[in-house]
Amino acid sequence: QVQLVESGGGLVQPGGSLRLSCVASGFTLDQYSIGWFRQAPGLEREGVSCIRSGDRDTHYADSVKGRFTVSRDNAKNTLYLQMNSLKPEDTAVYFCAADQICRKAMDYWGKGTLVTVSS
C-alpha cells in the first residue's frame, strides 16, 4: 500500500517554529517527487515546497522562502518541513504528497496535520 503519514502539527505562537514529518510507506521516497501543500480555512490548497525527483531540485513558495526548509532522509523514507518564524497566515492543514513530478494534482496524499499559529 502506498501511504503517507504526516505528523508534527500543533499550536505555536507567531515567530515560533515547528518541524513536520511525513513518513512514506509502500514506495521508495527517493524515487518520487515529493512536497508539502497546505490549505487554510476557506481557501484553496496551495503548494508550499517540492523536491523534484532525479536532480532533487527544490522549490519553495514565495511566501515561505527564507523561513521554511524542506529535507528528506532516504534511509528513514521520511520527508521533513522545518518551519521557522511562523506567521498567523501560515495556519493551515499541511499535507505531504508524492508523484512523478512536482505539480498541484499529485497522485498520493497524506491525511494532513493541522498547524495553528496564534497567540
Side-chain angles (χ1 to χ4, degrees):
Q1 292 182 330
V2 174
Q3 191 172 50
L4 298 167
V5 180
E6 306 95 334
S7 63
L11 175 64
V12 63
Q13 294 185 343
S17 299
L18 283 175
R19 185 177 177 86
L20 306 183
S21 299
C22 173
V23 179
S25 60
F27 67 98
T28 301
L29 186 62
D30 189 46
Q31 296 180 343
Y32 283 76
S33 296
I34 187 165
W36 292 93
F37 295 77
R38 67 185 183 185
Q39 187 167 18
L43 300 178
E44 294 185 354
R45 185 176 295 176
E46 64 176 343
V48 175
S49 65
C50 193
I51 302 174
R52 187 166 62 188
S53 64
D55 63 5
R56 300 182 182 181
D57 182 61
T58 302
H59 169 79
Y60 294 94
D62 289 340
S63 60
V64 306
K65 285 182 178 178
R67 300 189 298 119
F68 291 11
T69 303
V70 66
S71 62
R72 62 182 178 184
D73 186 333
N74 291 332
K76 297 181 179 179
N77 222 33
T78 300
L79 182 76
Y80 302 97
L81 183 67
Q82 178 66 47
M83 304 184 295
N84 299 325
S85 302
L86 283 162
K87 305 174 181 179
E89 51 263 45
D90 295 318
T91 296
V93 177
Y94 284 72
F95 303 87
C96 64
D99 205 335
Q100 296 301 311
I101 61 173
C102 290
R103 59 183 179 180
K104 292 183 178 180
M106 304 286 269
D107 282 346
Y108 303 104
W109 294 84
K111 297 295 184 181
T113 185
L114 177 63
V115 173
T116 302
V117 184
S118 176
S119 60

